[in-house]
Amino acid sequence: MSEALLLSVIQKLDIIYRYDRYAVGLGNVRKVIKKMREIMDIVRDKKLEDGRTLNFLVCDLVQMADNAIDIFKQHESFSEWRYKSINSWIKEMKKKMLKLGDDGAEMRPSDNVDDKYVVGLEEDVEMLLRLWIIGGEEYMKTVVIKGMIGIGKTTLAREIYNHAAVIKRFERRAWVSNSTYFTLKELLIQLIQQVAVEDPQNLHTSSSLENMDNRSLQDMLCQHLQGMRYFIVLDDLPKQMHLTSFLNALPGKDYGSRLLLTSHMKHPDIWHDEVHQMKPLDSNKSWQLFLETINHGNKLTGEHKFPMDLKHMGKQLLKKCGGLPLAIKEVGKQLVEQKVSGVSEWEQLLESFDFGSTLKLLEPFYHKLDPKLEPCLLCMAFFKENTTLRAEKLTAIWVAGGVVDTEYKCKAFLDGLVKESVIDVKDKSTEYGMNPLLHMLSIQKAEEKIGFEVLRKNGNNRAFESPRHHRVIICCRDKFNYSTDQDKHLVSLFFHGGGYFDTSSSYWKSFELLKILDLEDFGLKILPETIGTLMELRYLGLRNNYLKELSQLLRCLKKLEVLDISQNFMVEVPDIIWEMPSLRHIYMSEVICREPLKIDALRNLETLTYVSVDNWTYELSALKELRYLKKLGIEGLDGNSDVSKLFVSLAELKKLDHLILRGYRFRSMPCLDELRVLHKLETLKLDGLLARLPRSFPPNIESLTLVNSCLDEDPMPRLAENDSRLKHLKLRNAYTGQQMVILPYRFRSLEVLCIQELWNLRNIQCEGSLNCFDKIEIHDCPNLDTLPEAIGSFPFMKEIKMVTTKNIAAKIRNLDFISKIDIVNINS
């Protein structure tokens, strides 16, 4: 039966191909036919019998072919994006068929969801119900609860699904959870069985439903839901499942029905009206859940209960769980199973706790990850736990290590890691964080797949049979000697910890293939002279050390592409930069240069931050050679700086779109009126005292940051006069006045406003509505005790983030319009 259905799929797709060989996208149709034939071969080669799951998978393929024919008849094309959507689901079904047994059946995993103890979800439940589930418009709305595995997505969905207000409001409810071999047909059958239960006249047996094709099932589901207000939860929906036709056919678009999804990412086929990003539990809530699990959940009594004398140790252990409820419960479970008693036994157990079983719970998350993102995840093992991951460093290491072939593609990979909940965006859009347990998993997988190892002083270092290509060395401030018998296959080397790494002069010569060397935050005082022997080096990270001078032998690193020596106070840089022709990114600040740097010799330079205004080159013919320079930081500006000459020279940089101008701490920067000549600028940061704002800004500015400007006059009216495309505005210690007035009709494109350290600010006035505005962040403004009511009427306003005093935080939470905002994060 399955072979016959597959053959019918291929014949239907052949109809499209024969219909018009010159139509758009026929090559994609041919590719789909080829994949169908591959699946036919799998069924034949494995001699699969017609098991339930095999038939379900084939039914999905039949519907896919029918949809493709419908699309082609309507549009006479089969575009690339339609092909990619269908192809991803075909790949997934092929993978599932390869895992089926000879009888076409599969083993079903048991449901181990433990929602007995719920901590820290009260605000999430209330917000989702008020804004999106019970409240909101009377049309079909799709809501996504997004986050990594174990963060509580399913638990939150169940709290909402079983809430009295939901039961009362919706006439039909259904809950479908993903399984290993989940198919569209199975989704339809489960939904029908649940929504038909409340209508005895329409009950159907499983066997009768399984004998129907997908379109008939879809029609039947629509009949049961027609004229009803329904609430459907799709828990852990696979991103590869092709759902377009199913969603389009759902009835009751105007009855206020709701579709709630839980996923680690947005589903490509579903238009998401609202996305709720799950946050990990804070330390107090993590501790509360831990105690519920370990003491009450397991009914421990007397001496077997967790001793409160070890609360500090327990909280330190929980830090490694990163606020994941799944991990916290697993840790509690593992501790209880040891059946220890007494403070000393508990202390010993906490010190030697093994997270092995907890990491196994994260395996499904790893296997669901887009294969293209896997190498990027494995590279996370190179970094310290709980460190801030800078976009510029991540992308540089990916490119230097050959993980991504061009920096242009890195932005898509970063976005992909965020979308799939591998990393989270921090306060700055270019900084990211990673859950510590996921970091542990990246180390485990990197050891298995890419030849990674971690070496510790006086530790039990693991011995590997195969050569290691990537290494992290964890030092302390004691003398730390290593053998010179190093692995010549090593490609990347990272140093963590601090102090000092005592090596012989021949140590660095052993790394013949080394491309990445990172000593950031290591406390390094002297750079070894023999570092010049690393002829293959592409990335050299020396940020935040105590270096006083760079070695002259760095000039030998002809292939070096990234040099980061920033945050080494007053390090002397000899005139060697121009002899390193491959340099594309230079990060430095407050350096000493005995001779002006010959920057114009670096024809491939894309980033230079920072260079002193005195060391900048003004020769226009030379500047034309810097044809790739996109980001530039100039420091040391004061009243004596000739900025007119500076801006004329910067205008010669045709690719420059990101500029940072930095002055001295207690000296005023010069008048910057001539900034307007830099027409290509999109991002501008001014760091230093300003007597006043420039009269006009470059016309294409989208992001503007003012730091330590200490302006006496409210900057908003002047910024409004210049606004055209401004989307992001950040003010940090930029204004000393008490009142700020926002003129919404002038800020036509403003989306995000961030104000920090405006110590005297007492009042913000907003006259009208900001049509694009969706987020405001306020930090360290201790006299600002209210927000303008107009914020509640902004059409796209979604988030308020504020750090202030306890009294002000409580007052702002009680403002009437706050309940209209989706995400409110007000802390003290």
Side-chain angles (χ1 to χ4, degrees), residues 81 200 311 318 492 526 618 642 707 777:
W81 73 268
K311 181 178 179 179
L318 291 185
S492 61
I526 300 174
Y618 296 94
D642 188 349
V707 179
E777 292 188 27

Side-chain angles (χ1 to χ4, degrees), residues 402-456:
V403 174
V404 183
D405 54 2
T406 64
E407 287 185 4
Y408 176 77
K409 296 181 181 179
C410 288
K411 181 63 167 64
F413 281 86
L414 281 169
D415 290 344
L417 291 174
V418 173
K419 287 177 181 177
E420 299 219 15
S421 304
V422 176
I423 57 178
D424 297 316
V425 180
K426 294 196 134 185
D427 290 341
K428 295 181 180 179
S429 59
T430 57
E431 293 183 349
Y432 304 90
M434 188 179 192
N435 183 276
L437 272 177
L438 198 53
H439 181 258
M440 285 188 209
L441 184 66
S442 72
I443 292 175
Q444 183 185 91
K445 295 301 179 182
E447 289 176 342
E448 296 172 5
K449 294 180 176 292
I450 61 172
F452 174 75
E453 69 175 348
V454 179
L455 298 181
R456 295 177 174 84

Side-chain angles (χ1 to χ4, degrees), residues 549-567:
E549 182 180 5
L550 288 189
S551 168
Q552 291 274 355
L553 292 179
L554 284 182
R555 58 163 43 102
C556 300
L557 305 180
K558 303 298 184 184
K559 294 184 180 181
L560 192 68
E561 297 177 358
V562 181
L563 175 62
D564 188 349
I565 56 171
S566 61
Q567 299 180 31

Side-chain angles (χ1 to χ4, degrees), residues 352-403:
S352 60
F353 188 83
D354 183 6
F355 279 91
S357 63
T358 311
L359 291 181
K360 287 182 180 179
L361 298 176
L362 299 184
E363 286 282 345
F365 180 78
Y366 172 77
H367 292 301
K368 290 177 184 177
L369 190 67
D370 186 335
K372 294 179 182 178
L373 298 176
E374 182 182 0
C376 298
L377 170 65
L378 300 181
C379 285
M380 298 300 179
F382 304 160
F383 301 96
K384 298 176 185 177
E385 180 183 299
N386 288 322
T387 192
T388 296
L389 303 165
R390 301 190 308 278
E392 60 190 23
K393 183 173 182 177
L394 280 172
T395 57
I397 287 173
W398 289 346
V399 173
V403 174

Side-chain angles (χ1 to χ4, degrees), residues 217-350:
L217 290 170
Q218 197 166 280
D219 292 340
M220 182 180 291
L221 176 64
C222 290
Q223 290 175 11
H224 286 299
L225 296 177
Q226 194 67 47
M228 302 286 184
R229 182 186 286 125
Y230 54 85
F231 181 67
I232 295 175
V233 178
L234 303 180
D235 183 33
D236 195 20
L237 190 69
K239 63 185 178 183
Q240 299 89 352
M241 180 177 282
H242 192 60
L243 291 173
T244 304
S245 60
F246 160 69
L247 294 169
N248 290 338
L250 283 176
K253 300 294 190 294
D254 300 323
Y255 292 117
S257 297
R258 298 291 185 260
L259 181 63
L260 178 64
L261 281 69
T262 70
S263 178
H264 68 285
M265 69 169 296
K266 298 179 183 179
H267 194 285
D269 280 355
I270 298 178
W271 174 264
H272 306 89
D273 295 294
E274 308 293 350
V275 178
H276 178 69
Q277 179 69 52
M278 291 288 290
K279 301 293 183 183
L281 299 178
D282 60 26
S283 60
N284 291 330
K285 290 176 180 176
S286 295
W287 181 248
Q288 181 184 345
L289 180 59
F290 175 72
L291 290 182
E292 289 282 354
T293 303
I294 202 169
N295 288 340
H296 306 295
N298 296 281
K299 299 180 180 179
L300 297 181
T301 57
E303 64 178 2
H304 292 288
K305 281 197 171 186
F306 187 86
M308 294 309 292
D309 293 347
L310 298 180
K311 181 178 179 179
H312 178 71
M313 284 189 69
K315 282 197 168 188
Q316 290 299 311
L317 180 66
L318 291 185
K319 276 186 179 181
K320 294 186 177 295
C321 295
L324 288 184
L326 181 74
I328 295 168
K329 292 177 182 180
E330 178 65 17
V331 168
K333 174 186 172 184
Q334 293 295 318
L335 290 173
V336 168
E337 287 178 351
Q338 300 298 316
K339 298 180 180 179
V340 298
S341 62
V343 174
S344 60
E345 289 188 30
W346 275 106
E347 185 175 9
Q348 183 179 359
L349 185 59
L350 292 174

